[in-house]
Amino acid sequence: MKKHLLYSSFLLLMGCSAVAQNKDAIKFSQTINKDNAYKHLSVLASDEYEGRETGKKGGWMAADYIKEHFKSIGLKAPVAGDYFQPVDIVSYGLSQLLTVDGQPAEALTDFFLMPKSVSAKGFAFNANSVLFAGYGLTKDDYNDYANQAVAGKVVMIFKSGEPGSPAPTASLRNSSAVNAKLKYLVEHKAQAVILIDPIVDNMPENMKSYLLSEDMALKNKETMDRMDVPQAMPVITIGTALANRILAGANTNLDALKKKISDGGKPSPQEIKISVCASASKVEKKVKSDNVLGFLEGSDPKLKHEILVITGHYDHIGITPDAKGDDKINNGADDDGSGTTGVLLIAEAFAKAKKAGKGPKRSILFMTVTGEEKGLLGSEWYSENPVFPLKNTITNLNIDMIGRGDKAHESDNNFVYIIGSDMLSSDLDRIGKKANKTYVNINLDEKYNNRTDPNQFYYRSDHYNFAKHGIPVIFYFNGVHDDYHMPGDEVSKIDFPMLAKRAKLVYFTAWELANGLKRPTVDKNEDGTPKL
């Protein structure tokens, strides 16, 4: 008798589940599969695409590939008849010059400047002397600046260490101690500071790469205002060879001065009569890079003005010349070739539904964005220059890394992190979880679904540029692995069945959103408090 009741209950539950599922949604989801995922990702994450760096050949190739796919499946070109939305990105390199006693010093061999420390206005100074002030310490019982006037002078100090202590290795450098030294000099109106750091003598290749890298930003008012903030004080870091060239003006050298300070137990500041001239300025260059947009118009005349936006970033970090081993290309198969692939698969499924007369009631904008790795630049540009009014955008579903997993899920990869789904809209959270339960049944891990997560994932992908405008979002993410931002993020390591399954979750969620009776209600403020 109990068995019969249980069996009847099971049939009833199965019947309810079948009713809840939309047969058309299931039918057109079939092209979202591991084979089609491989077809796209094996191209986008190939060595030929050189890591898809923003503003470089591989990035342009990826944009063209995505455009051709959107075109081939019949999506409309919504940017004045084009699929590309140009993003106004500029890069800033550094023009720098340093001469000592009329002789030019060589950047990255004799000295360096931190690129982000130089404002748009740059700096220039021409000094006839340098004040050597030892370790730049200002303790109660030891003051390198005792009886010294600092204002208006170029001051040279050891970047780190104390009298009698050995030179620290790079791993032991105390940035807070350095900042305290710089703060003192700024407050006492030094003209500039020269930091002596032995790391310049044998600079690691990765450090050189960083110092040579160009900072990218949107050319908008916010960026211009930030860059126009004048520099508090020029900071130049030099090696020991150049320091000794300066000290030769006083017939001394570093070893002699260190010994004198250590043996005497007291500071030994001195004015060195030697000319030091320096200048630096930002060099701006236009970066060619585009968001790629494909538009599927809704079928309901009353609802098609409402837009669901599905995003993934197609850029990655390009080539790392100093990477260990022979492989220098950061293919970005998971980050975010997998998300881009997901967008392409979902777009094709909806396009086929529309051609069969089963298209969504609301419109869907499929958008792969550029410049995410440079600071969410492409999505920020779209949010400031939307092709469709943001007030008509009902939700953003953002896919960033869905092809692998993390160590927390090594025993079961049937999961995806969802972030942001309940931050602004209880409706969206309910719809997304219902779609999962009805169609896919993936473990939805909400470990990072909060604003105080130390990793700050809620703020680190393109959905945030929609959320900050009050648009509900869901961010789909498989977590960070050992190959994150490394050449090892290869196609061979992708779990294609799970990539397809996660993409299907986004697809079914999109189906529910695009065909629902009403758009998700925004019932929470950006800080999570209920809207009144």
Side-chain angles (χ1 to χ4, degrees), residues 112 114 199 203-212 322:
F112 71 81
M114 296 299 288
I199 198 172
M203 192 180 296
E205 288 302 316
N206 61 345
M207 186 174 178
K208 286 184 180 179
S209 297
Y210 168 74
L211 294 170
L212 287 170
D322 58 335

Side-chain angles (χ1 to χ4, degrees), residues 40-41 43-46 48-70 83-84 288-293 312-316 331-332 336-337 340-341 344 368-370:
H40 291 304
L41 189 55
V43 175
L44 291 168
S46 64
E48 184 182 1
Y49 279 56
E50 298 180 351
R52 306 187 306 277
E53 186 162 2
T54 303
K56 294 192 176 179
K57 174 187 171 185
W60 302 331
M61 291 173 68
D64 285 335
Y65 180 91
I66 296 161
K67 171 186 173 178
E68 290 306 314
H69 177 74
F70 285 168
Y83 292 93
F84 289 158
K288 181 188 179 303
S289 199
D290 308 284
N291 294 329
V292 191
L293 284 64
H313 72 89
Y314 70 87
D315 65 305
H316 195 51
N331 299 85
D336 184 32
T340 301
T341 295
L344 301 185
T368 59
V369 295
T370 186

Side-chain angles (χ1 to χ4, degrees), residues 55-108:
K56 294 192 176 179
K57 174 187 171 185
W60 302 331
M61 291 173 68
D64 285 335
Y65 180 91
I66 296 161
K67 171 186 173 178
E68 290 306 314
H69 177 74
F70 285 168
K71 186 176 179 179
S72 71
I73 63 178
L75 296 186
K76 292 184 177 181
V79 190
D82 199 351
Y83 292 93
F84 289 158
Q85 181 192 36
V87 179
D88 199 356
I89 300 175
V90 289
S91 70
Y92 293 97
L94 201 58
S95 173
Q96 52 191 316
L97 177 68
L98 175 64
T99 64
V100 174
D101 200 20
Q103 298 299 310
E106 186 176 347
L108 303 189

